[in-house]
């Protein structure tokens, strides 16, 4: 299994530009989570989906952030316009929300965003 | 907000057991204790979880007190590769319930 795949791994952009981060969950998983990690705030949950439906987006910092999951194998997190304070590592995670599994979340390697 | 309290940092000599404590005094009856670790900015990695019994797997052991208000993660023979931030999380055993991370414990394994 390829695991959770995120792209790009690194992104450097200028303030005001649109940023799109992508995530491919593990095949067969039906829950997907977006997290953001900074030195100051640690790992924060931004939004999560179950069966492609957003369940809780209360962690999305403001209207500049949006996330979609058009199908079970793809999700995007978009920032428009980007600001320097959005600089962080963004993690995507997925899991299977039913059955006898451990409830374990599988994380991708993250997308490191730098906004100048 | 995280429902757990962990020491910010710990050191452990290579080859010795690393014992990482966690307090979760407000844990509910349907909440499990999960441990994850994050090695140098990689994505967090699942280690182990438990409800009330002690658990062991190939990575670690989890000891939960009888009142379930605290637990200890044990890495029996720590190696340099175990240097990481370790997160203790309480969570209901429902697949689509997210993990809420606290600050964790930064474990440094020293040669």
């Amino acid at each position: 299994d390829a695991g959770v795949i995120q792209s790009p791994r690194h992104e450097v952009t200028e303030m005001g530009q649109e940023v799109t981060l992508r995530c491919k969950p593990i095949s067969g998983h039906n829950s997907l989570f977006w997290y953001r990690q900074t030195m100051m705030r640690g790992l924060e949950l931004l939004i999560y989906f179950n069966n492609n439906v957003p369940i809780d987006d209360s962690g999305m910092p403001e209207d500049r952030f949006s996330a979609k999951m058009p199908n079970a194998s793809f999700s995007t997190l978009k920032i428009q316009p980007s600001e320097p304070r959005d600089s962080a590592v963004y993690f995507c995670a997925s899991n299977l929300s039913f059955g006898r599994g451990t409830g374990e979340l599988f994380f991708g390697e993250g997308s490191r965003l730098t906004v100048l | 907000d995280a429902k757990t309290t962990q020491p910010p940092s710990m050191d452990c000599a290579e080859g010795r057991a690393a014992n990482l404590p966690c307090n979760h005094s407000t844990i509910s009856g349907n909440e499990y204790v999960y441990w994850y670790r994050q090695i140098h900015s990689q994505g967090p990695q699942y280690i182990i979880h438990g409800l009330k019994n002690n658990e062991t797997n190939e990575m670690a052991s989890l000891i939960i007190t009888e009142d379930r208000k605290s637990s200890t993660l044990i890495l029996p023979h720590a190696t340099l590769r175990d240097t990481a931030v370790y997160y203790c999380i309480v969570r209901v055993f429902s697949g689509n319930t997210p993990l809420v991370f606290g600050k964790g414990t930064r474990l440094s394994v020293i040669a």
Side-chain angles (χ1 to χ4, degrees):
Chain A
D1 198 325
V4 176
I5 299 173
Q6 293 187 244
S7 63
R9 292 294 311 278
H10 301 274
E11 173 104 2
V12 179
T13 190
E14 292 188 345
M15 183 174 62
Q17 297 297 305
E18 178 179 293
V19 173
T20 299
L21 307 178
R22 298 172 177 81
C23 176
K24 177 178 170 55
I26 292 173
S27 176
H29 283 186
N30 66 330
S31 289
L32 184 140
F33 307 79
W34 282 100
Y35 287 84
R36 177 174 69 174
Q37 185 170 34
T38 61
M39 287 292 292
M40 290 296 295
R41 301 177 66 89
L43 272 161
E44 303 174 280
L45 176 70
L46 299 177
I47 185 171
Y48 71 100
F49 298 82
N50 192 45
N51 295 323
N52 311 336
V53 175
I55 303 301
D56 185 353
D57 65 354
S58 60
M60 297 285 264
E62 47 197 275
D63 292 345
R64 297 184 298 105
F65 285 69
S66 63
K68 295 181 179 180
M69 191 163 187
N71 57 61
S73 58
F74 184 66
S75 177
T76 59
L77 178 68
K78 185 174 294 187
I79 308 171
Q80 167 63 19
S82 59
E83 297 182 3
R85 59 187 167 135
D86 302 329
S87 297
V89 181
Y90 291 81
F91 288 103
C92 176
S94 71
N95 80 342
L96 189 62
S97 67
F98 57 88
R100 291 177 53 83
T102 64
E104 173 186 358
L105 266 65
F106 294 81
F107 284 79
E109 290 299 310
S111 293
R112 180 175 296 276
L113 173 65
T114 302
V115 183
L116 303 174
Chain B
D1 291 339
K3 298 175 62 175
T4 62
T5 303
Q6 300 178 252
S9 64
M10 294 182 63
D11 292 339
C12 178
E14 188 178 20
R16 305 297 294 270
N19 297 281
L20 292 90
C22 179
N23 287 322
H24 33 78
S25 59
T26 61
I27 191 170
S28 301
N30 64 343
E31 288 181 319
Y32 286 65
V33 180
Y34 281 81
W35 283 84
Y36 280 71
R37 74 180 182 184
Q38 187 175 24
I39 298 173
H40 188 54
S41 298
Q42 296 178 17
Q45 174 192 24
Y46 166 84
I47 301 173
I48 198 168
H49 77 286
L51 181 63
K52 56 183 178 180
N53 297 319
N54 298 338
E55 301 287 345
T56 296
N57 63 20
E58 65 278 5
M59 290 182 69
S61 295
L62 174 60
I63 309 297
I64 303 174
T65 59
E66 190 169 345
D67 63 7
R68 301 208 325 122
K69 292 185 177 181
S70 66
S71 61
T72 301
L73 178 74
I74 301 172
L75 308 178
H77 304 288
T79 70
L80 299 178
R81 289 176 295 179
D82 292 321
T83 293
V85 178
Y86 287 77
Y87 298 97
C88 170
I89 302 165
V90 296
R91 170 178 178 250
V92 295
F93 190 77
S94 170
N96 66 353
T97 303
L99 298 171
V100 178
F101 289 86
K103 297 185 183 300
T105 296
R106 182 173 298 278
L107 175 69
S108 298
V109 180
I110 303 168

